Amino acid sequence: MYRGSVRRHSTVENFEKLSLNQITTDQWNLRDAVEGCARAEIPWIAPWRHKVQETGLKESRKLIKDAGLKVSSLCRGGMFPAATALERQKRIDDNKRAVEEAAELGTDVLVLVCGPSPDRDIISAREMVAEGITQLVPFAESYGVKLGIEPLHPMYAAERSVVVSLDLANTLAEAYRPDQVGVVVDVFHVWWDPDLYNQINRAKGRILGFHVSDWLVPLPDMLKGRGMMGDGVIDIQRIRKAVDEVGYSGPIEVEIFNDQVWSQQGDETLQQIKDTYLKHV
Amino acid sequence: MYRGSVRRHSTVENFEKLSLNQITTDQWNLRDAVEGCARAEIPWIAPWRHKVQETGLKESRKLIKDAGLKVSSLCRGGMFPAATALERQKRIDDNKRAVEEAAELGTDVLVLVCGPSPDRDIISAREMVAEGITQLVPFAESYGVKLGIEPLHPMYAAERSVVVSLDLANTLAEAYRPDQVGVVVDVFHVWWDPDLYNQINRAKGRILGFHVSDWLVPLPDMLKGRGMMGDGVIDIQRIRKAVDEVGYSGPIEVEIFNDQVWSQQGDETLQQIKDTYLKHV
């Protein structure tokens, strides 16, 4: 009976929302990751653009399709603020390529990491983000692609994104319809936020993705120090419940930047993901 | 005329608000720091409790007084959340000692770093902070000491403080009169916050301290990587202006945790502080 019970918890339907965010197996190229997911019966994958580029867009699409995987999102667009109008236009153009790639790969979500400020004026940089999204929306809509604004942890404010709270992501998204622009909730980026549960409620109908990992203590590295679910201090299940309760029923991406995880066998990582996902998500 | 103008900017009155937060010269003991401030004509100092303990409370008081220095605050009380009621009571007792030390040293501000959560339940930990402050207020009031809640950067949420935004610090403080509990604004901890200027306005009449340093890119270290003012990306002058405009006219502490700063001559550090304070604060 005990073994039967364990097996029941390992059936395919328990993993029906599970998605491998490709950065979690950075040691693998796209083909490796697709084949790994197929072996592990993980039904979703979230490719990264540089990995897609390495393999080729059409080949990536074919590999994913032939393996029967679904694509939860494409990582990533964004990076809107820049010192000159010319450079900002280049960023928009690159975002348009990202939209095309997302559509080609068969996902309707492009994750936006909005970018840092080119100077000390973080307020103006946030206006550049809003302006960039405004320019991108009609193009994305014409491809059936939604823009998912992912607020990053405030420790990345100087180098990766001036959008550092779900509050601000919601405000930016609410200028559009929910089928145009939404938000992506990553527990690593938002767990500290005293206003988190209010902001999840506010995001109802607009959540385009849910990412999990954990915050290790001490954090081994600002960028590459995320942990497997359960190894850190984030109350992942509470956040999962809140996201569920506002009606999010889409895929759940496991997104872990971690040097140690990247140095182990990819198949081992996928098994750890499945084990810790069942226990802690 | 040019030289005369430069000299005018270096007169004592330009530094009348300048305070050395003692951690900035961690290589020095309290006596060294007091003598250094006297040599550099820095009129304020913010001692740390472990340095005071090392020198002795009465001796510390005498050194500071004999040098003619004023004490901007004592660092630090707080650390309220703990797994057991007994341990929480011990923390309160320690906070009472901190209040007594602040009064003895001649400052009316005890800075609170509120502490991390003992487990994954960050919401309950914040309730423990509120409860701890409630217990401490009457005691502090009887000594004429105000409690200054310092929100820390969210990257310290797991290890140092569950109070990670000026919003939450204001909410906690507003349960009391402004002469009982206020907030401390440290640019390093709050610069990323999209709601910063609203929250500074909200804190009007309750700001008990203003701390400066800078956010280096890349950050050399999560704890010991702060920079001298002007070396990073924080718009210090804009934050200073906002704090001034709501009527804060107290001392401005320079608080820099940095291994490289700690390895140089203390007098050199004090000269850098004065130079960068004039230019960037």
mmCIF file with all atom_site columns, all heavy atoms in Angstrom, chain A residues 113-126:
data_model
loop_
_atom_site.group_PDB
_atom_site.id
_atom_site.type_symbol
_atom_site.label_atom_id
_atom_site.label_alt_id
_atom_site.label_comp_id
_atom_site.label_asym_id
_atom_site.label_entity_id
_atom_site.label_seq_id
_atom_site.pdbx_PDB_ins_code
_atom_site.Cartn_x
_atom_site.Cartn_y
_atom_site.Cartn_z
_atom_site.occupancy
_atom_site.B_iso_or_equiv
_atom_site.pdbx_formal_charge
_atom_site.auth_seq_id
_atom_site.auth_comp_id
_atom_site.auth_asym_id
_atom_site.auth_atom_id
_atom_site.pdbx_PDB_model_num
ATOM 1   N N   . VAL A 1 113 ? 12.088 40.860 -19.092 1.00 0.00 ? 113 VAL A N   1
ATOM 2   C CA  . VAL A 1 113 ? 12.984 41.356 -18.045 1.00 0.00 ? 113 VAL A CA  1
ATOM 3   C C   . VAL A 1 113 ? 13.326 42.767 -18.495 1.00 0.00 ? 113 VAL A C   1
ATOM 4   O O   . VAL A 1 113 ? 13.998 42.965 -19.513 1.00 0.00 ? 113 VAL A O   1
ATOM 5   C CB  . VAL A 1 113 ? 14.235 40.482 -17.915 1.00 0.00 ? 113 VAL A CB  1
ATOM 6   C CG1 . VAL A 1 113 ? 15.252 41.132 -16.981 1.00 0.00 ? 113 VAL A CG1 1
ATOM 7   C CG2 . VAL A 1 113 ? 13.854 39.098 -17.423 1.00 0.00 ? 113 VAL A CG2 1
ATOM 8   N N   . CYS A 1 114 ? 12.815 43.755 -17.763 1.00 0.00 ? 114 CYS A N   1
ATOM 9   C CA  . CYS A 1 114 ? 12.646 45.084 -18.366 1.00 0.00 ? 114 CYS A CA  1
ATOM 10  C C   . CYS A 1 114 ? 13.910 45.894 -18.559 1.00 0.00 ? 114 CYS A C   1
ATOM 11  O O   . CYS A 1 114 ? 13.923 46.833 -19.350 1.00 0.00 ? 114 CYS A O   1
ATOM 12  C CB  . CYS A 1 114 ? 11.596 45.867 -17.589 1.00 0.00 ? 114 CYS A CB  1
ATOM 13  S SG  . CYS A 1 114 ? 9.955  45.112 -17.777 1.00 0.00 ? 114 CYS A SG  1
ATOM 14  N N   . GLY A 1 115 ? 14.988 45.534 -17.847 1.00 0.00 ? 115 GLY A N   1
ATOM 15  C CA  . GLY A 1 115 ? 16.265 46.208 -18.072 1.00 0.00 ? 115 GLY A CA  1
ATOM 16  C C   . GLY A 1 115 ? 16.611 47.225 -17.000 1.00 0.00 ? 115 GLY A C   1
ATOM 17  O O   . GLY A 1 115 ? 15.739 47.739 -16.308 1.00 0.00 ? 115 GLY A O   1
ATOM 18  N N   . PRO A 1 116 ? 17.933 47.500 -16.869 1.00 0.00 ? 116 PRO A N   1
ATOM 19  C CA  . PRO A 1 116 ? 18.396 48.490 -15.894 1.00 0.00 ? 116 PRO A CA  1
ATOM 20  C C   . PRO A 1 116 ? 18.366 49.907 -16.481 1.00 0.00 ? 116 PRO A C   1
ATOM 21  O O   . PRO A 1 116 ? 18.131 50.082 -17.674 1.00 0.00 ? 116 PRO A O   1
ATOM 22  C CB  . PRO A 1 116 ? 19.834 48.055 -15.633 1.00 0.00 ? 116 PRO A CB  1
ATOM 23  C CG  . PRO A 1 116 ? 20.275 47.463 -16.941 1.00 0.00 ? 116 PRO A CG  1
ATOM 24  C CD  . PRO A 1 116 ? 19.052 46.840 -17.574 1.00 0.00 ? 116 PRO A CD  1
ATOM 25  N N   . SER A 1 117 ? 18.636 50.871 -15.640 1.00 0.00 ? 117 SER A N   1
ATOM 26  C CA  . SER A 1 117 ? 18.696 52.264 -16.081 1.00 0.00 ? 117 SER A CA  1
ATOM 27  C C   . SER A 1 117 ? 20.064 52.552 -16.680 1.00 0.00 ? 117 SER A C   1
ATOM 28  O O   . SER A 1 117 ? 21.071 52.036 -16.204 1.00 0.00 ? 117 SER A O   1
ATOM 29  C CB  . SER A 1 117 ? 18.454 53.183 -14.883 1.00 0.00 ? 117 SER A CB  1
ATOM 30  O OG  . SER A 1 117 ? 18.588 54.527 -15.258 1.00 0.00 ? 117 SER A OG  1
ATOM 31  N N   . PRO A 1 118 ? 20.128 53.386 -17.724 1.00 0.00 ? 118 PRO A N   1
ATOM 32  C CA  . PRO A 1 118 ? 21.436 53.747 -18.277 1.00 0.00 ? 118 PRO A CA  1
ATOM 33  C C   . PRO A 1 118 ? 22.184 54.749 -17.399 1.00 0.00 ? 118 PRO A C   1
ATOM 34  O O   . PRO A 1 118 ? 23.367 54.992 -17.620 1.00 0.00 ? 118 PRO A O   1
ATOM 35  C CB  . PRO A 1 118 ? 21.081 54.383 -19.624 1.00 0.00 ? 118 PRO A CB  1
ATOM 36  C CG  . PRO A 1 118 ? 19.688 54.898 -19.455 1.00 0.00 ? 118 PRO A CG  1
ATOM 37  C CD  . PRO A 1 118 ? 19.012 53.966 -18.491 1.00 0.00 ? 118 PRO A CD  1
ATOM 38  N N   . ASP A 1 119 ? 21.511 55.328 -16.413 1.00 0.00 ? 119 ASP A N   1
ATOM 39  C CA  . ASP A 1 119 ? 22.173 56.306 -15.531 1.00 0.00 ? 119 ASP A CA  1
ATOM 40  C C   . ASP A 1 119 ? 21.494 56.273 -14.164 1.00 0.00 ? 119 ASP A C   1
ATOM 41  O O   . ASP A 1 119 ? 20.776 55.335 -13.850 1.00 0.00 ? 119 ASP A O   1
ATOM 42  C CB  . ASP A 1 119 ? 22.121 57.709 -16.151 1.00 0.00 ? 119 ASP A CB  1
ATOM 43  C CG  . ASP A 1 119 ? 20.688 58.123 -16.494 1.00 0.00 ? 119 ASP A CG  1
ATOM 44  O OD1 . ASP A 1 119 ? 19.750 57.691 -15.788 1.00 0.00 ? 119 ASP A OD1 1
ATOM 45  O OD2 . ASP A 1 119 ? 20.507 58.865 -17.466 1.00 0.00 ? 119 ASP A OD2 1
ATOM 46  N N   . ARG A 1 120 ? 21.732 57.308 -13.343 1.00 0.00 ? 120 ARG A N   1
ATOM 47  C CA  . ARG A 1 120 ? 21.184 57.295 -11.979 1.00 0.00 ? 120 ARG A CA  1
ATOM 48  C C   . ARG A 1 120 ? 19.684 57.561 -11.923 1.00 0.00 ? 120 ARG A C   1
ATOM 49  O O   . ARG A 1 120 ? 19.078 57.460 -10.856 1.00 0.00 ? 120 ARG A O   1
ATOM 50  C CB  . ARG A 1 120 ? 21.891 58.346 -11.116 1.00 0.00 ? 120 ARG A CB  1
ATOM 51  C CG  . ARG A 1 120 ? 23.318 57.998 -10.771 1.00 0.00 ? 120 ARG A CG  1
ATOM 52  C CD  . ARG A 1 120 ? 23.801 58.844 -9.593  1.00 0.00 ? 120 ARG A CD  1
ATOM 53  N NE  . ARG A 1 120 ? 25.189 58.519 -9.267  1.00 0.00 ? 120 ARG A NE  1
ATOM 54  C CZ  . ARG A 1 120 ? 26.234 59.176 -9.758  1.00 0.00 ? 120 ARG A CZ  1
ATOM 55  N NH1 . ARG A 1 120 ? 26.049 60.197 -10.575 1.00 0.00 ? 120 ARG A NH1 1
ATOM 56  N NH2 . ARG A 1 120 ? 27.453 58.808 -9.419  1.00 0.00 ? 120 ARG A NH2 1
ATOM 57  N N   . ASP A 1 121 ? 19.095 57.921 -13.044 1.00 0.00 ? 121 ASP A N   1
ATOM 58  C CA  . ASP A 1 121 ? 17.692 58.345 -13.024 1.00 0.00 ? 121 ASP A CA  1
ATOM 59  C C   . ASP A 1 121 ? 16.759 57.137 -13.226 1.00 0.00 ? 121 ASP A C   1
ATOM 60  O O   . ASP A 1 121 ? 16.235 56.905 -14.319 1.00 0.00 ? 121 ASP A O   1
ATOM 61  C CB  . ASP A 1 121 ? 17.469 59.409 -14.094 1.00 0.00 ? 121 ASP A CB  1
ATOM 62  C CG  . ASP A 1 121 ? 16.087 60.030 -13.992 1.00 0.00 ? 121 ASP A CG  1
ATOM 63  O OD1 . ASP A 1 121 ? 15.277 59.600 -13.136 1.00 0.00 ? 121 ASP A OD1 1
ATOM 64  O OD2 . ASP A 1 121 ? 15.825 60.955 -14.776 1.00 0.00 ? 121 ASP A OD2 1
ATOM 65  N N   . ILE A 1 122 ? 16.527 56.404 -12.165 1.00 0.00 ? 122 ILE A N   1
ATOM 66  C CA  . ILE A 1 122 ? 15.732 55.179 -12.244 1.00 0.00 ? 122 ILE A CA  1
ATOM 67  C C   . ILE A 1 122 ? 14.272 55.489 -12.575 1.00 0.00 ? 122 ILE A C   1
ATOM 68  O O   . ILE A 1 122 ? 13.575 54.668 -13.187 1.00 0.00 ? 122 ILE A O   1
ATOM 69  C CB  . ILE A 1 122 ? 15.872 54.378 -10.920 1.00 0.00 ? 122 ILE A CB  1
ATOM 70  C CG1 . ILE A 1 122 ? 15.368 52.938 -11.070 1.00 0.00 ? 122 ILE A CG1 1
ATOM 71  C CG2 . ILE A 1 122 ? 15.185 55.075 -9.757  1.00 0.00 ? 122 ILE A CG2 1
ATOM 72  C CD1 . ILE A 1 122 ? 15.709 52.048 -9.879  1.00 0.00 ? 122 ILE A CD1 1
ATOM 73  N N   . ILE A 1 123 ? 13.815 56.673 -12.215 1.00 0.00 ? 123 ILE A N   1
ATOM 74  C CA  . ILE A 1 123 ? 12.423 57.044 -12.504 1.00 0.00 ? 123 ILE A CA  1
ATOM 75  C C   . ILE A 1 123 ? 12.220 57.202 -14.015 1.00 0.00 ? 123 ILE A C   1
ATOM 76  O O   . ILE A 1 123 ? 11.256 56.680 -14.586 1.00 0.00 ? 123 ILE A O   1
ATOM 77  C CB  . ILE A 1 123 ? 12.039 58.327 -11.726 1.00 0.00 ? 123 ILE A CB  1
ATOM 78  C CG1 . ILE A 1 123 ? 12.064 58.022 -10.218 1.00 0.00 ? 123 ILE A CG1 1
ATOM 79  C CG2 . ILE A 1 123 ? 10.677 58.851 -12.164 1.00 0.00 ? 123 ILE A CG2 1
ATOM 80  C CD1 . ILE A 1 123 ? 11.855 59.233 -9.332  1.00 0.00 ? 123 ILE A CD1 1
ATOM 81  N N   . SER A 1 124 ? 13.145 57.894 -14.662 1.00 0.00 ? 124 SER A N   1
ATOM 82  C CA  . SER A 1 124 ? 13.048 58.028 -16.116 1.00 0.00 ? 124 SER A CA  1
ATOM 83  C C   . SER A 1 124 ? 13.194 56.677 -16.811 1.00 0.00 ? 124 SER A C   1
ATOM 84  O O   . SER A 1 124 ? 12.554 56.419 -17.837 1.00 0.00 ? 124 SER A O   1
ATOM 85  C CB  . SER A 1 124 ? 14.118 58.991 -16.640 1.00 0.00 ? 124 SER A CB  1
ATOM 86  O OG  . SER A 1 124 ? 13.868 60.287 -16.157 1.00 0.00 ? 124 SER A OG  1
ATOM 87  N N   . ALA A 1 125 ? 14.036 55.820 -16.264 1.00 0.00 ? 125 ALA A N   1
ATOM 88  C CA  . ALA A 1 125 ? 14.210 54.490 -16.859 1.00 0.00 ? 125 ALA A CA  1
ATOM 89  C C   . ALA A 1 125 ? 12.891 53.718 -16.829 1.00 0.00 ? 125 ALA A C   1
ATOM 90  O O   . ALA A 1 125 ? 12.566 52.983 -17.767 1.00 0.00 ? 125 ALA A O   1
ATOM 91  C CB  . ALA A 1 125 ? 15.305 53.719 -16.129 1.00 0.00 ? 125 ALA A CB  1
ATOM 92  N N   . ARG A 1 126 ? 12.137 53.888 -15.764 1.00 0.00 ? 126 ARG A N   1
ATOM 93  C CA  . ARG A 1 126 ? 10.836 53.207 -15.684 1.00 0.00 ? 126 ARG A CA  1
ATOM 94  C C   . ARG A 1 126 ? 9.877  53.757 -16.731 1.00 0.00 ? 126 ARG A C   1
ATOM 95  O O   . ARG A 1 126 ? 9.046  53.018 -17.269 1.00 0.00 ? 126 ARG A O   1
ATOM 96  C CB  . ARG A 1 126 ? 10.274 53.329 -14.262 1.00 0.00 ? 126 ARG A CB  1
ATOM 97  C CG  . ARG A 1 126 ? 11.030 52.441 -13.284 1.00 0.00 ? 126 ARG A CG  1
ATOM 98  C CD  . ARG A 1 126 ? 10.563 52.571 -11.844 1.00 0.00 ? 126 ARG A CD  1
ATOM 99  N NE  . ARG A 1 126 ? 11.317 51.620 -11.021 1.00 0.00 ? 126 ARG A NE  1
ATOM 100 C CZ  . ARG A 1 126 ? 11.872 51.901 -9.835  1.00 0.00 ? 126 ARG A CZ  1
ATOM 101 N NH1 . ARG A 1 126 ? 11.737 53.101 -9.296  1.00 0.00 ? 126 ARG A NH1 1
ATOM 102 N NH2 . ARG A 1 126 ? 12.545 50.977 -9.182  1.00 0.00 ? 126 ARG A NH2 1
#
